[in-house]
Amino acid sequence: MIRSEYLRFLQTLTSGDISVDVRKVANLVLNHLDTLIPLSTAQGQRIKKITKLAQTNWATTTADIQPVQQQTATQTCPFTHLKSLSVGPFRGFAKHEEFDLASELVLIYGPNGTGKSSFCEALEFGLLGSVAEAENKRFRNQQDYLKNAYTNSFTLPTLVGLDNQGKDVPVSADEAMYRFCFVEKNRIDNFSSIAAQASAKQTELISTLFGLDAFTEFVRNFTDTMDNRYIDLEGVKAKELATKRKALAGHQQQLDTTIPEEIQTIEKEEKELAKAYREDCTFPQMADELNGTEGKPGMIKQLEDELQKQLPQKSNVTITSLDTLKQTIQSDAGELNEKKAELEKSSQQISFKQLYEAVIKVRESSAEHCPACQTPLAQVKVNPYEHADAELKKLEQLGRIQDAVKTLKSDITTSLGKLSEMKNTCCSRFPENNPLSAVYITDEKAITWWNSLHQKFDDGLTPFLHLESQVKQLEAYDKKIEITAKGRTEKQSEIKRLRDFAEKIVRLQTRKETANGSKKKAEEAIGKFDTENAQLIKDAEAEKTSVVQNQTIASAYAAFVKKLNTYKNDLPAQLVADLGQSVVQFYNAFNRHDAEHEQLANIRLPLSQNQRLEIAFKKGPHRYFDALHILSEGHIRCLGLAILTAKNMKENCPLLIFDDPVNAIDDEHRQAIRETLFIDDYFKGKQLIIAIHGEEFFNRTHQIIGKEMAKKTESYLFSPKDDHHIKVNSLNRPKNYVLAARELFETGEYRDSLMSARRALENLCDKAWYHYGKHSDKSDSLISVSRRAPNQPWDLRGLADNLKSKFNKSKAAIPNKDQIIDSFSNVLGPDAKQPPWTYLNKGTHDEADLPEFDQRAVNDIVAALEQLDAALV
């Protein structure tokens, strides 16, 4: 199917507006079709393969599109009917089988799994040269699919046909002529699923209905474009050379513009920096002054060395603090002497104060007795404790003087300690022969030590004068340290300022070195380029031809894929073009028992992407509805079958081969389908081959086609496989009840003949009813029959009597009216208690000790039914 459809696509490339290169790509795909079909877009499988094939075979691939035989309206089939099929080993056929197909109708019946599909696939391979299911299942080699699995062998099926003169003609595969001969159940099933698909999928399912889903999938697996991921469109060497030339152009631009501008900018910044450093200074002078020259350190180094020197620690003594200590000590000593004098004057009072304080202290231990004589306090004249409290209050002033004395002593001691610290500082700072080193102080002799400071040494100076002199010297040193520290801060600010200049100098020098290095590198690169890249330049020149070819291939491939997708998208429109009215006609035939308002007036088939399947009913022929929205699944299946049969008729196909499609249709529509196939005139002269798994459909078909047609029909029964081979049997006895009744009569099986005769009458009554309804006058009475219960069948004799009466009374010229009435009369007899009617009942039901059936009576019943059957055809 894929190859055949692809060949038809190739014929669309023969017009003058299609480039030679696109045709070459198309032929390249054709030449390697079997290789490409299994490959998909996954990981770029197909596009990579096509790229490789194109680069290898481009020069040898022709641009000529070879013509293929096309099916045309004037083309005629070499045969009128198939005569025979020889098959096996093939699929389910493990050995050879011969099928006689020399009939307008061939029926194949068998349960599921008995080999009907293998039979249909043999016809498909013989007529089309391939089997669509093999492509759908991704068999790269169809023979792997078609060979029998148990014998591991395969033989080509052979078809023989009959021409219009009755002569045998070999049938050769012609996919274009016979592809619309097949109607398959799977395709109708897939078509019914259209209701669950997005609108963009609907046109694809039209292709699926015609067995083109494999071709659609084949087209879908072509990547749209052939870009640099798959083929070199720029030239690897040329691209590498271009990259290097781009870098070379960058070098030249550096020499011409970038580097001179950078150096000019640097020189300008150098001048501005030197001017900021000192008005009349140059950049080299500034760099030398700050950073130094060989053998001469710069200003930054000098300042760093100076700042690294440790400053001496200050003594923090001053002559002012010494004078203040001296005055404090002298003042406290004088006040202390005054307070001591006051206490000496009050020495007696001090004794009493001490006494009273002692009395108060013992109160806690002897609160009820006198502390002196232990006399109870209640007996003493004066309470000693109260007397002591009163006297102490009188002596409070004396206590304040004593407290002042203590305080003054403590203050003097503290001041002398500070004075001693000054002395120690002087001794530590002037350790050599310092007369103060011999002056020591103790707490017990504080005042004495103070007085000793004013006793002259041998040199005529007091220790205190030495102390004053040394403090003055230390204070002068501290001032020098302060001056030095202040200068150090100024130096730190200065070195920070100079370092900032130094950093800017380094940055400018680095930039200038970088610019000069880039200049040198660019000059070297330009000078060496042609020499270093001589081989690359040569290779880039050599690959130009290949790149041009690759660009041609890629461009042609993109145009080819676009054409192929357009063809695939247009296929539905081509397949169903001008089928609208035929589809409506067949759909209404398949639904003939529906109410008239459910019959179709028109249909719009989806011919392009996003177009919906629309229908209009007879009740409102100008109002269209979405068919998938309002039709049941059963009606959608009928619609799919109608499209396929309409296409078969339009293409004037000699055959209509059903692979179990009617069993995809619900029970409600099967009777109408049988009537369309076997009673209506649509398929007169067309050979029908039907494979079905429904026994009742098989049996009913034998009844509806009538006795004469049933005689000519070839019927085969497929049974479950034996030894891995399909068991094929011809009918041992006709399935048509009239034929069976006659055959059983001829063999003397009268009871079974009557059983088939009763079944024939039941079937022929239904046919007679349809015949009456089709040809009777509107004024004629309606058929009326009775039932014993709603779920029981019609009373057969009542129905036959009513039919006979209505045909007899009809005013219309009903075809074969007299023969029909006569036949019913002969079957019904004078009453229901006499033959032939009693024979029909007794032949059907089992009764003990039945008398033998009269041969002539049985023959009369069978003959009457044969006459009725012939009259209703």
Side-chain angles (χ1 to χ4, degrees), residues 84-100:
S84 64
L85 167 67
S86 297
V87 59
F90 180 94
R91 294 287 284 148
F93 296 97
K95 53 189 177 183
H96 181 75
E97 287 287 348
E98 286 283 343
F99 289 91
D100 185 355

Side-chain angles (χ1 to χ4, degrees), residues 245-257:
R245 287 194 184 281
K246 188 175 181 180
L248 192 67
H251 288 316
Q252 190 61 51
Q253 184 179 8
Q254 284 182 317
L255 290 176
D256 295 342
T257 307

Side-chain angles (χ1 to χ4, degrees), residues 572-580 605 607 647 650:
Q574 298 174 21
L575 292 170
V576 298
D578 303 324
L579 290 186
L605 297 169
L607 303 180
K647 186 66 174 178
K650 181 178 183 296

